[in-house]
Amino acid sequence: MKQKIEAIQEKAFGLIKEAATLKDLEDLRVGILGKKGDLTLVLREMGKLSAEERPLMGKLANQARNDIENLLEEVALNLKQKEKSDKINREVIDITVPGKKFVLGKKHPITQTTQKIEEIFLGLGYEIAEGPEIETVYHNFDALNAPEEHPSRDEQDTFYINEKVCLRTQTSPVQIRVMHNQKPPIKIICPGRVYRSDDVDATHSPVFHQVEGLVVDKGVTMGDLVGTLKLVAKSLFGEKTEIRLRPHHFPFTEPSAEVDVTCWTCGGVGCKVCKNECWVEILGAGMVHPNVLRNCNLDPDIYSGFAFGMGIDRVAMSQSGINDMRLLFENDLRFLKQF
Ligand code: DAH
């Protein structure tokens, strides 16, 4: 039996040292030490030995088993390391291969201007509100105190979906939604898309953008409106910018005004951009009409407020030197990339 054990061990050592893969090694382990392995089978014959011989052979067999296991482990470790370094050698990185080009996107000029406006108002403590573009006639006209016969209600001007639903023609309906859902103090702006039944030309588009503003609280005055607009105009068009208010009429404000700023190109001395007018109209504004407050269950004897609405596209165009509105909507990347 001693010779048998020694022969198995010798053969095992030879084979294990030559194993080329971990799989070969595992097959060898099973073949030698497994249930039906060579060494295991020899050990089964121990029963036939005499009582003196048995412990000696047992010791010898255990020793052989340990030696084989140790060798298996050692070779396995070497093979693992070899496999790893082979893998690293195979996966050479070719640093001369040209890299992938990243195309950096840009914000659309309208988005840039909208975000600039949002930042100014967020800095003044306003919140940004949103409303639907498919709006009810109630929110878009009725609750805003627009009389039945108001020209803006005409189908020539408004896209109707049915008698009670239209594409909003202004961002002003968001005022109504906010006042219905929130108690004063209210300080919001609402930037968004609006729709009018206009033909496309250099200064008109059936889709354009506005930003609405609304402040409602106890004791809000026209002075607050003027002060706010002055500050916003200076932030948007430059420190030297002045504003002027011209009396106007809007159904939802009383008194109402159209607001001009000194031309941002010539500073108010006259140039091509302002057509020598020195002033450029940028928004409509006024004190929220008592009827509008009442329509939103707010008592005009307790609360007052101001509101304004500004066209974003014209501001974006003027600031980027774009003279044709169509360029903003055609979305030709070669054009838009410049801004
Ligand atoms: N909604 C008006 C428009 O589309 C703009 C406007 C004027 C909004 C005066 C207001 C306002 O909130 O007070 O022409």
Side-chain angles (χ1 to χ4, degrees):
M1 175 165 270
K2 187 167 181 253
Q3 281 100 352
K4 267 192 191 168
I5 294 175
E6 280 169 358
I8 289 172
Q9 181 165 1
E10 198 180 336
K11 189 176 155 210
F13 269 43
L15 290 172
I16 291 171
K17 279 180 190 159
E18 264 162 33
T21 65
L22 288 168
K23 164 95 178 51
D24 292 349
L25 217 53
E26 177 58 14
D27 290 345
L28 283 172
R29 193 189 64 75
V30 174
I32 303 161
L33 306 176
K35 262 190 200 162
K36 290 180 186 161
D38 296 345
L39 191 65
T40 319
L41 292 180
V42 173
L43 290 179
R44 288 222 180 115
E45 292 167 17
M46 292 271 272
K48 293 180 195 157
L49 296 177
S50 66
E52 298 91 62
E53 257 186 323
R54 216 175 287 151
L56 288 175
M57 286 306 121
K59 203 175 160 202
L60 198 67
N62 272 339
Q63 187 60 49
R65 187 184 183 89
N66 281 344
D67 290 350
I68 291 171
E69 275 175 350
N70 286 343
L71 186 67
L72 277 169
E73 221 170 272
E74 191 187 317
V75 175
L77 201 73
N78 287 342
L79 281 178
K80 269 187 204 153
Q81 265 165 6
K82 189 167 168 292
E83 268 180 22
K84 198 168 157 190
S85 61
D86 281 353
K87 198 170 169 218
I88 290 172
N89 287 337
R90 249 182 289 125
E91 290 176 1
V92 193
I93 296 171
D94 181 356
I95 56 165
T96 64
V97 172
K100 277 186 195 154
K101 251 195 192 165
F102 280 103
V103 184
L104 251 198
K106 286 204 115 187
K107 284 178 188 155
H108 192 283
I110 291 177
T111 309
Q112 290 181 30
T113 303
T114 307
Q115 290 183 345
K116 207 168 157 186
I117 296 169
E118 285 175 355
E119 265 168 39
I120 295 170
F121 281 100
L122 287 172
L124 292 172
Y126 283 65
E127 282 175 38
I128 296 175
E130 282 186 345
E133 290 174 20
I134 300 174
E135 186 54 285
T136 63
V137 170
Y138 166 77
H139 288 93
N140 196 76
F141 293 120
D142 300 337
L144 284 164
N145 199 38
E148 279 295 333
E149 68 284 0
H150 197 274
S152 61
R153 287 183 181 248
D154 200 287
E155 278 187 41
Q156 305 277 325
D157 291 295
T158 300
F159 291 114
Y160 284 95
I161 287 166
N162 58 41
E163 255 178 40
K164 291 187 170 164
V165 181
C166 62
L167 296 184
R168 68 177 178 193
T169 59
Q170 48 189 354
T171 42
S172 307
V174 184
Q175 290 187 22
I176 304 299
R177 291 185 174 272
V178 170
M179 283 189 276
H180 270 148
N181 289 322
Q182 212 174 304
K183 286 274 154 245
I186 291 169
K187 255 175 104 175
I188 56 115
I189 58 160
C190 163
R193 228 177 262 142
V194 298
Y195 302 83
R196 284 187 201 173
S197 180
D198 267 329
D199 286 330
V200 176
D201 65 25
T203 53
H204 291 89
S205 160
V207 187
F208 57 102
H209 301 79
Q210 288 186 338
V211 57
E212 189 80 11
L214 174 72
V215 172
V216 182
D217 201 354
K218 288 176 186 160
V220 176
T221 69
M222 192 106 182
D224 298 319
L225 169 64
V226 175
T228 304
L229 293 179
K230 252 190 195 169
L231 202 144
V232 171
K234 286 180 190 294
S235 314
L236 205 50
F237 303 108
E239 203 35 53
K240 293 203 176 117
T241 309
E242 294 298 336
I243 64 166
R244 87 177 170 190
L245 277 71
R246 284 177 288 104
H248 197 74
H249 170 78
F250 295 107
F252 31 82
T253 41
E254 182 59 36
S256 304
E258 276 191 327
V259 181
D260 304 335
V261 294
T262 42
C263 174
W264 44 78
T265 307
C266 64
V269 290
C271 72
K272 252 186 1 200
V273 174
C274 61
K275 298 190 189 89
N276 282 325
E277 301 246 337
C278 307
W279 296 90
V280 185
E281 187 220 317
I282 57 153
L283 55 84
M287 300 306 291
V288 181
H289 197 290
N291 285 350
V292 174
L293 292 173
R294 272 186 216 109
N295 289 340
C296 299
N297 300 320
L298 293 172
D299 184 345
D301 290 331
I302 301 175
Y303 293 109
S304 59
F306 67 74
F308 57 87
M310 177 162 67
I312 298 178
D313 311 70
R314 274 190 53 200
V315 175
M317 282 168 72
S318 61
Q319 297 212 315
S320 321
I322 300 170
N323 56 11
D324 191 324
M325 204 171 200
R326 287 168 286 203
L327 292 166
L328 286 175
F329 298 111
E330 279 166 1
N331 286 335
D332 182 339
L333 282 183
R334 290 167 304 177
F335 175 76
L336 293 176
K337 264 187 199 162
Q338 304 173 76
F339 304 102

